[in-house]
Amino acid sequence: MSAEAIIKSQARNILKHNFVKAIIALAILTLPLTIIDGTTTITSFAVINLVSDEATANILVYVIGYPIEIIMGFLFSPIINGYIRAFYRAAYSNTIDLRDVFYYFNVSHYIHALSLNIRLAIRMLLPVLLCYLPLITFDIISSHIGADFTESTLSHNLRFLLTVLSTVLVVLWSIRYFTVFTVSIDNEQLTPQQVFAYNKYIMQNRSGNVIKLLVSFIPWMLLCLLVLPMLYVIPYMTQSLCVSAKWTTKAAIEVN
């Protein structure tokens, strides 16, 4: 049995007794997205109704709406840390504790989690822009060619392929930060800078194992196109990745 199969088997065993809690945790995770989307919609509606000129209104929607989305996204981001914490701790205890999802909304924990998330976003900003540069370039060129090409099947297919390629590149790059959140969970006394340093040590020559695990989930990801299977696939993937982080960290500690 491969390492990926063992990890996924352990994840299934954990979820067997915690599946309802896993679904609730996922629902809690999506709640901030609903709030952010609703706030952006209300803001856009208000701007459009207050400003008569359509072009000016559209500019204001971008100038006001997007910054609000980004700020709210960061403010709510510790819920992601808590979601990962719930599944990661379950990798050790075999029990998902929903209180872990809200763990980082304690004042001191919140500041630490928010600082970590902001630093991670800053580290990922340039690589993400570079990875999506071909797609951005394509959109700019397409807009100058004309609507006939933009609406053509060829244009849609090329855009889809570039989107997939860019996303894959971003995922591959982000694997180097695979244990950032779990290192922070294991070592709450570490500063964000120390967390990144420890993560770098753990992930030396171990990124390939994570890639293999992600590749093994491709058929499951395709099922998510049907929407409903996401309720199983996302918790399953999350738990598997947290189990993998557990064993990756233990392997690094044993080597040390």
Side-chain angles (χ1 to χ4, degrees), residues 31-79:
L31 182 60
L33 298 177
T34 305
I35 295 172
I36 292 171
D37 184 61
T39 303
T40 305
T41 302
I42 293 171
T43 303
S44 301
F45 181 78
V47 169
I48 291 171
N49 281 274
L50 290 172
V51 180
S52 56
D53 182 65
E54 184 178 349
T56 304
N58 289 333
I59 292 172
L60 288 175
V61 167
Y62 281 103
V63 171
I64 298 174
Y66 283 172
I68 289 176
E69 276 194 20
I70 293 170
I71 292 169
M72 290 186 69
F74 276 117
L75 292 178
F76 279 115
S77 66
I79 201 78

Side-chain angles (χ1 to χ4, degrees), residues 2-254:
S2 66
E4 297 77 42
I6 294 172
I7 288 170
K8 291 162 81 173
S9 174
Q10 292 178 0
R12 287 194 299 271
N13 287 335
I14 295 169
L15 289 177
K16 189 184 298 182
H17 306 291
N18 295 276
F19 186 65
V20 174
K21 290 181 180 179
I23 294 296
I24 294 173
L26 180 60
I28 294 170
L29 180 67
T30 59
L31 182 60
L33 298 177
T34 305
I35 295 172
I36 292 171
D37 184 61
T39 303
T40 305
T41 302
I42 293 171
T43 303
S44 301
F45 181 78
V47 169
I48 291 171
N49 281 274
L50 290 172
V51 180
S52 56
D53 182 65
E54 184 178 349
T56 304
N58 289 333
I59 292 172
L60 288 175
V61 167
Y62 281 103
V63 171
I64 298 174
Y66 283 172
I68 289 176
E69 276 194 20
I70 293 170
I71 292 169
M72 290 186 69
F74 276 117
L75 292 178
F76 279 115
S77 66
I79 201 78
I80 299 172
N81 305 60
Y83 177 77
I84 295 171
R85 179 184 176 85
F87 284 84
Y88 182 62
R89 282 165 60 86
Y92 288 91
S93 66
N94 293 321
T95 301
I96 292 177
D97 188 344
L98 291 176
R99 290 174 298 181
D100 283 326
V101 181
F102 301 101
Y103 180 82
Y104 293 101
F105 283 87
N106 168 286
V107 175
S108 59
H109 297 155
Y110 178 84
I111 294 172
H112 180 79
L114 185 62
S115 176
L116 183 69
N117 297 346
I118 291 174
R119 286 172 181 264
L120 179 58
I122 291 172
R123 286 169 178 257
M124 285 294 298
L125 180 59
L126 181 58
V128 168
L129 289 175
L130 290 175
C131 288
Y132 278 96
L133 186 59
L135 178 62
I136 295 169
T137 304
F138 175 78
D139 284 342
I140 293 172
I141 294 173
S142 297
S143 65
H144 284 82
I145 292 177
D148 290 340
F149 176 74
T150 304
E151 299 300 325
S152 67
T153 303
L154 176 61
S155 175
H156 288 305
N157 289 339
L158 287 173
R159 196 176 193 284
F160 174 76
L161 290 174
L162 286 172
T163 302
V164 171
L165 175 62
S166 299
T167 304
V168 169
L169 290 175
V170 169
V171 171
L172 291 176
W173 179 269
S174 65
I175 285 173
R176 67 186 57 212
Y177 301 117
F178 178 62
T179 61
V180 162
F181 292 113
T182 55
V183 164
S184 178
I185 294 167
D186 284 332
N187 307 273
E188 294 186 1
Q189 76 283 1
L190 296 183
T191 65
Q193 186 176 355
Q194 290 171 327
V195 168
F196 282 107
Y198 194 4
N199 164 80
K200 183 178 180 181
Y201 164 72
I202 291 173
M203 291 306 296
Q204 283 181 349
N205 303 318
R206 293 185 176 89
S207 296
N209 296 331
V210 182
I211 293 173
K212 289 178 184 178
L213 180 60
L214 288 174
V215 168
S216 73
F217 270 106
I218 288 177
W220 290 97
M221 294 178 195
L222 294 176
L223 273 179
C224 288
L225 296 174
L226 301 175
V227 180
L228 190 58
M230 292 173 66
L231 294 176
Y232 177 76
V233 175
I234 294 176
Y236 181 28
M237 281 189 65
T238 304
Q239 190 62 73
S240 297
L241 291 169
C242 285
V243 171
S244 177
K246 165 190 168 181
W247 292 118
T248 301
T249 302
K250 282 192 171 186
I253 291 173
E254 287 174 3

